[in-house]
Amino acid sequence: MPIVVQKYGGTSVDCRDKVMQVAARVAQLRQEGNDVVVVVSAQGGTTDSLLSEARTITPEPAQRELDMLVTAGERISMSLLAIALNSLGCRAVSFTGSQVGIITDTRHTDARILEVRPHRLVSELEKGTVVVVGGFQGVSTEKEVTTLGRGGSDTTAVVLAAALNAERCEILTDVNGVHTADPRIVKGAGLIEEIRYDDMAELARFGATVLKEEAIRFAEREGIALAVGSSTDTTPGTIVLEKPRTPERPVVGLSLLREASLVEVGAAGSSGAAEALASYGPAVRFVAGRSEATVAAVELDGLPGARPVSLICVVGPEAGSGETLAAVVGTASEAGCPVSAISSSARAVAVALPRRWGEPLVQDLHARFFSDRS
Ligand code: ADP
Ligand code: ASP
Ligand code: MG
């Protein structure tokens, strides 16, 4: 039987009615003759409120305990969904990440997956049971519960799809696919039917939370086409794949990372700059400037001495061209928005700007690049 992995995000399971709706959709998929694995996130807002609660006790709670705490969120939604499925007569069992053999390194709150040992999951599928898995979590080589970084349920879904050689991996959420910009910021944003892994990863890196960058990179390495769509209807959404089959637009989409900082890292090529960059590690989004005045744009907030900024990224086959760069800078200048750093690569351009300009400039740039849609 074909194996289908579906992932439902937090807002898709945040009340009883939505859990029942998801259960009905999953039961139907099972009835159509598929083996089904469902990955669920914590109910919307739960992870944030658990983290805030811990921080009312101490500003820096132990990372290990934070992992123990937030994984409770996914446990609630996975068990509720399994209860709902069984109540509909569709046999289901819920498992934690640890129970389905997601083995990670020991980095609490942002662990990397090292291996998947899905024996228990496979034997349940063989019995015809739907398996519901708590997303965003695993167990470390030291046998501790770990989590995979915010938005990590996407990673769980992709990694399980690869381990099970699934026929489909569907990321189902509160929008009906990936759009040319966040539809909550740009009303006229249009659905992108097919998008390259690279472009999608770049959008995700610069704030498009609809997919987690790590999940996209993993899907790319494993050659898994990701379908992104609505959790409440079955109309086709977006496919993330190696190469779109239809001609791409010169600019495919844009994204906004609201909370970032611009930090001075010293002279390019100096050991001081290298050290500074290494200390920001995976938070670095781009490095810009010349010789003495190199700056790094990092996805961190509240750094002492740093300038708070937002970052906007534009991607597509022509996004790295001089014309696109000129259009981005020109649009900002027409609006009166100061741009404090720019970086461009083959298929992308990114700029840093004062935070209050983030949303208005995304809207203006969308109008400029998608005048037929804004
Ligand atoms: P989930 O809880 O299902 O994982 P997320 O909140 O992580 O959902 O991701 C869905 C959200 O991503 C949407 O509600 C939307 O506001 C945001 N988003 C940002 N950029 C885009 C984009 N380009 N296309 C679609 N959604 C986007
Ligand atoms: N619940 C986790 C979070 O809020 C994981 C996820 O939603 O994917 O980040
Ligand atoms: Mg998400």
Side-chain angles (χ1 to χ4, degrees):
M1 254 190 214
I3 300 177
V4 179
V5 176
Q6 286 192 328
K7 177 252 168 176
Y8 291 89
T11 47
S12 310
V13 289
D14 64 6
C15 62
R16 180 197 173 278
D17 288 356
K18 289 195 195 168
V19 170
M20 291 310 296
Q21 231 179 359
V22 167
R25 183 166 173 179
V26 170
Q28 165 86 25
L29 189 64
R30 170 73 202 138
Q31 226 169 20
E32 286 164 3
N34 300 285
D35 281 338
V36 188
V37 177
V38 189
V39 174
V40 281
S41 296
Q43 295 181 301
T46 303
T47 310
D48 283 335
S49 67
L50 289 171
L51 288 171
S52 313
E53 199 174 336
R55 291 194 179 110
T56 62
I57 301 171
T58 169
E60 292 203 7
Q63 304 276 90
R64 176 191 185 279
E65 301 309 331
L66 285 181
D67 278 349
M68 293 301 274
L69 179 68
V70 292
T71 48
E74 268 69 15
R75 269 199 186 214
I76 293 171
S77 37
M78 76 190 204
S79 44
L80 287 177
L81 182 57
I83 290 168
L85 281 161
N86 284 308
S87 80
L88 296 178
C90 174
R91 201 169 62 235
V93 62
S94 68
F95 285 135
T96 62
S98 166
Q99 288 172 311
V100 293
I102 295 180
I103 315 294
T104 73
D105 64 15
T106 54
R107 193 149 42 130
H108 281 293
T109 74
D110 197 21
R112 296 283 83 81
I113 296 173
L114 301 175
E115 199 188 332
V116 185
R117 299 180 195 152
H119 322 295
R120 199 162 171 198
L121 196 167
V122 170
S123 74
E124 289 297 337
L125 288 182
E126 282 168 358
K127 288 187 246 164
T129 310
V130 168
V131 178
V132 185
V133 179
F136 162 66
Q137 54 181 278
V139 62
S140 78
T141 46
E142 299 290 322
K143 300 193 167 47
E144 296 284 9
V145 170
T146 49
T147 59
L148 309 175
R150 299 305 305 267
S153 300
D154 295 342
T155 317
T156 306
V158 177
V159 164
L160 287 179
L164 299 168
N165 201 12
E167 188 181 87
R168 297 206 307 272
C169 181
E170 300 175 348
I171 307 291
L172 302 168
T173 182
D174 58 1
V175 283
N176 65 341
V178 180
H179 287 63
T180 48
D182 186 341
R184 294 185 202 286
I185 302 176
V186 179
K187 291 286 163 264
L191 180 71
I192 305 174
E193 283 167 12
E194 295 185 337
I195 185 168
R196 285 176 190 250
Y197 294 119
D198 256 1
D199 288 348
M200 190 62 235
E202 205 65 8
L203 291 177
R205 206 172 147 66
F206 284 87
T209 51
V210 62
L211 274 180
K212 187 168 170 70
E213 184 190 357
E214 194 192 2
I216 303 159
R217 294 290 182 205
F218 192 90
E220 180 175 22
R221 280 200 300 279
E222 299 291 323
I224 297 169
L226 285 180
V228 184
S230 161
S231 59
T232 52
D233 72 65
T234 53
T235 54
T238 302
I239 309 284
V240 189
L241 72 181
E242 190 66 46
K243 194 171 185 309
R245 290 158 289 193
T246 46
E248 295 170 289
R249 295 175 66 110
V251 164
V252 167
L254 45 133
S255 61
L256 170 68
L257 181 58
R258 285 188 170 81
E259 291 184 353
S261 300
L262 215 51
V263 285
E264 292 189 10
V265 292
S270 67
S271 60
E275 260 172 46
L277 286 175
S279 74
Y280 298 120
V284 176
R285 290 294 164 268
F286 67 77
V287 178
R290 276 186 286 144
S291 60
E292 300 306 305
T294 306
V295 289
V298 295
E299 187 178 354
L300 291 170
D301 194 20
L303 288 178
R307 189 168 352 151
V309 288
S310 289
L311 307 177
I312 291 178
C313 179
V314 178
V315 304
E318 295 297 321
S321 70
E323 286 84 348
T324 306
L325 198 59
V328 170
V329 174
T331 305
S333 127
E334 277 161 33
C337 163
V339 168
S340 32
I342 304 177
S343 161
S344 81
S345 60
R347 290 181 68 96
V349 55
V351 293
L353 58 149
R355 288 188 184 171
R356 69 190 172 85
W357 278 101
E359 291 204 4
L361 195 61
V362 165
Q363 286 157 353
D364 287 357
L365 288 171
H366 193 275
R368 177 118 185 196
F369 293 120
F370 300 94
S371 50
D372 50 326
R373 285 181 169 179
S374 279

